[in-house]
Amino acid sequence: MPSSRDCLEEILNRLQARADEERVFAKLYAEAARAAADAADARRKAGVTLGPLDGAIVSIKDLFDVAGEPTLAGSVLRRNAPPAAADAAIVMRLRRAGAVIIGKTTMTEFAFTAIGDNPHTGTPGNAADASLIPGGSSSGAGVSAAEGTSEIAIGSDTGGSVRIPAALNGIVGFKPTARRVPLAGAFPLSPTLDSIGPLARSVAHCAAADAVMAGEEAAPLPVLSLAGLRFGVPRGILFENIEDEIAAAFDATIRKLELTGSHIADFGIDDLLSEMKATRKRGSLAALEGAEIHADWLAEGAGAPVDPHVEEPLVRAVAVPTPFYIRALRRRTELAAAMDERLTGLDALVLPTVPLFAAPIAAMAADERLRDHTEGLLLRNTQVANQFDLCAITLPMPGTRLPSGLMLVARAGHDRRLLAIAAAAEKLLKA
């Protein structure tokens, strides 16, 4: 088994070779990472371990505080921000678990947009095909984990920002229940909807990182049988405009699940989806809460060096009266409770993570209407878990020419059970 230092040096050499065109990492911590890797190797040699992340190469999204430097969150506006006084809570927990933090990955500005582009830092090409979008907002995280420049990448997910890049790059991405992992030291998008989750090439890696970030005792996931589990397929709105190849791969996956003895049936939630959509008529919760977070530079008017795809929804949200936001928040709580009650008899919902493949970067830049349409479809399925306060995971779905994802969604607080179900499904899909 190679040492942590050897793995790190191999990655650093790869990154050095492309340094002039780097788009995946915003910053590297080479010397600090070497020290952490050496310490992990020394512990291993002495027969001591801090747990499953000890010596693992981990990247963190560019919205997590690292003591002594400004947190840029993908924006030039924050280059002169005060340096962080301390590491983010999850960064401290990762370090204590022996993780080797190699660097910060690029992201869409302020964690808005699902395409994965950023006019300031450049857009990382998809790990499967560099001419295609990576998905966002955890764009660099998705590419880093998929291409192997980190073993585990830590992202944030407000409407799908972990799961979209994971699905488009062909890896696993886990969105925990929103309050499971502390947000302290993470630059916010929407405090109501934000969650912090891992991207990796296996469910086991995601589960290990999730346990550390949640402050839980690291332990292997229980081995579950898929036989007898109850899955609901929410056909309807979430299956519209789906690419034929993804639909065929999904149906083949469902047949595989059925052969294990799982109980699978169509499961209606379109009424709740429509009612939730009605709460966003004047603006999404992410935009409404984001408008408060970014109120200072928004108040200065036009001219801020901000991606128009980020600025425009925030400008619209500024004009929304406060009572509308309060009503939307209250209604969201009611609908989340209704969804929780409806899911009581299920182990998980199962559906395609996104209904389309990664689009060409050039096409997204050339056609605004196509870009908006694509972004809406990318967010449509994933945002359900955030809006209704659920946990969710995407797994690579076999049988497609480009990466696509299978998403499992479970009730709030059922995170570890969902991860165990996902581990069983992962084994089935790889068979």
Side-chain angles (χ1 to χ4, degrees):
M1 182 176 179
S3 69
S4 181
R5 179 63 182 266
D6 287 345
C7 292
L8 174 66
E9 292 299 339
E10 181 184 352
I11 292 170
L12 290 174
N13 287 337
R14 288 173 62 189
L15 296 176
Q16 178 59 38
R18 71 183 195 201
D20 292 342
E21 52 188 31
E22 183 59 45
R23 297 288 184 269
V24 175
F25 281 87
K27 184 165 188 175
L28 293 175
Y29 301 114
E31 291 311 309
R34 288 183 173 114
D38 288 344
D41 289 337
R43 285 190 294 272
R44 189 200 300 182
K45 187 175 180 180
V48 176
T49 181
L50 298 179
L53 292 194
D54 200 358
I57 314 299
V58 176
S59 65
I60 58 174
K61 190 175 180 176
D62 188 27
L63 51 61
F64 297 114
D65 286 350
V66 169
E69 64 183 51
T71 302
L72 300 183
S75 179
V76 298
L77 275 185
R78 293 192 51 80
R79 286 179 180 167
N80 296 319
D87 287 346
I90 63 110
V91 174
M92 287 191 282
R93 289 179 175 181
L94 289 166
R95 291 195 201 279
R96 286 200 296 264
V100 177
I101 297 179
I102 186 173
K104 284 187 172 180
T105 50
T106 55
M107 56 182 283
T108 61
E109 190 166 17
F110 296 134
F112 270 74
T113 86
I115 299 295
D117 50 354
N118 187 314
H120 312 300
T121 61
T123 302
N126 189 291
D129 180 339
S131 72
L132 304 179
I133 62 171
S137 64
S138 307
S139 49
V143 178
S144 173
E147 72 177 7
T149 49
S150 60
E151 293 178 80
I152 301 167
I154 308 302
S156 65
D157 191 310
T158 305
S161 289
V162 161
R163 289 160 292 149
I164 293 166
L168 294 186
N169 285 279
I171 55 174
V172 181
F174 177 58
K175 174 233 169 301
T177 302
R179 289 158 299 284
R180 176 174 171 78
V181 175
L183 296 172
F187 192 87
L189 170 52
S190 167
T192 298
L193 303 177
D194 290 347
S195 58
I196 296 170
L199 304 87
R201 291 181 295 283
S202 72
V203 173
H205 274 116
C206 283
D210 169 73
V212 165
M213 293 192 295
E216 293 185 350
E217 190 74 27
L221 291 170
V223 177
L224 289 185
S225 169
L226 293 170
L229 294 186
R230 300 153 299 173
F231 294 103
V233 181
R235 296 192 188 275
I237 293 170
L238 302 182
F239 281 75
E240 294 174 357
N241 299 310
I242 186 170
E243 295 205 28
D244 291 344
E245 193 178 340
I246 293 176
F250 178 79
D251 289 342
T253 298
I254 290 298
R255 288 193 293 273
K256 267 189 152 183
L257 281 172
E258 287 176 327
L259 290 174
T260 69
S262 297
H263 303 300
I264 302 175
D266 289 355
F267 192 83
I269 60 170
D270 276 6
D271 57 329
L272 295 177
L273 297 179
S274 296
E275 290 186 55
M276 186 66 80
K277 183 178 180 180
T279 70
R280 307 195 304 273
K281 283 188 295 187
R282 299 286 296 276
S284 68
L285 275 180
L288 294 173
E289 294 188 341
E292 184 275 326
I293 291 161
H294 298 285
D296 291 343
W297 65 262
L298 285 168
E300 296 174 2
V306 175
D307 183 351
H309 301 109
V310 175
E311 182 178 19
E312 289 168 8
L314 291 175
V315 168
R316 291 195 299 271
V318 165
V320 175
T322 301
F324 178 87
Y325 165 68
I326 295 171
R327 280 185 206 150
L329 205 58
R330 184 182 300 126
R331 184 62 179 143
R332 183 248 181 186
T333 301
E334 294 169 352
L335 291 170
M339 180 68 84
D340 182 75
E341 182 177 357
R342 189 168 299 186
L343 296 179
T344 300
L346 287 184
D347 290 292
L349 293 172
V350 57
L351 66 158
T353 309
V354 292
L356 69 171
F357 296 117
I361 294 172
M364 296 296 95
D367 189 332
E368 282 295 315
R369 290 184 66 182
L370 177 62
R371 185 190 189 282
D372 290 346
H373 176 72
T374 300
E375 181 166 42
L377 286 175
L378 287 174
L379 285 164
R380 185 192 65 197
N381 293 7
T382 56
Q383 68 185 352
V384 172
N386 306 83
Q387 292 166 349
F388 288 93
D389 196 19
L390 307 169
C391 56
I393 190 167
T394 181
L395 306 172
M397 187 163 63
T400 56
R401 58 189 165 82
L402 285 171
S404 63
L406 178 78
M407 187 162 59
L408 303 174
V409 183
R411 298 168 63 197
H414 289 224
D415 299 73
R416 296 303 284 183
R417 178 166 173 78
L418 177 62
L419 284 162
I421 293 170
E426 176 184 53
K427 185 176 180 180
L428 174 71
L429 296 181
K430 286 183 175 180

